[in-house]
Amino acid sequence: MTQKEKSDPGVSACAPSCCRVESLVTVDERGQMVLPKEIRDKANIKPGDKLAVISWEKNGEISCISLIRAEEFGGMVRELLGPMMGEVLGNETVKNK
């Protein structure tokens, strides 16, 4: 682990593609939060973009919340479920998409 990795709380000893803490946000009294401009710019998130909110549970409580572009999430679902649904429905077009 490099000196930067030891001093940077957003960098862990795992592979370079690992998750990292980019910033902290605060939830206001209305339940709203602001995604910092630097993150929006880096992720190319523009006004009107749709993001899927994905939650991960551990011991019955949500422990992680992720944001995924809606169009990318739809593609992931099709990629994972398409072959299975093709077999279930006996539909070659679903299998090959």
Side-chain angles (χ1 to χ4, degrees):
M1 186 179 297
T2 68
Q3 188 61 35
K4 174 159 177 36
E5 290 173 327
K6 290 178 186 174
S7 63
D8 185 349
V11 176
S12 67
C14 57
S17 64
C18 267
C19 297
R20 56 182 288 126
V21 176
E22 294 284 347
S23 66
L24 297 175
V25 297
T26 302
V27 179
D28 70 14
E29 61 278 348
R30 292 175 39 193
Q32 298 175 329
M33 62 186 98
V34 174
L35 192 58
K37 182 178 182 345
E38 305 83 48
I39 304 300
R40 294 191 317 267
D41 289 347
K42 196 173 181 180
N44 197 28
I45 296 172
K46 306 287 185 218
D49 285 355
K50 302 277 188 218
L51 302 172
V53 179
I54 310 301
S55 65
W56 300 77
E57 285 192 22
K58 182 176 183 180
N59 300 325
E61 293 186 10
I62 293 177
S63 60
C64 181
I65 299 172
S66 300
L67 301 174
I68 302 174
R69 290 183 182 283
E71 61 271 9
E72 290 181 25
F73 183 69
M76 287 184 226
V77 169
R78 278 189 299 281
E79 189 175 305
L80 290 171
L81 296 181
M84 179 179 65
M85 292 307 296
E87 288 180 26
V88 169
L89 300 173
N91 185 345
E92 286 298 319
T93 58
V94 175
K95 289 181 191 176
N96 296 324
K97 278 194 172 185

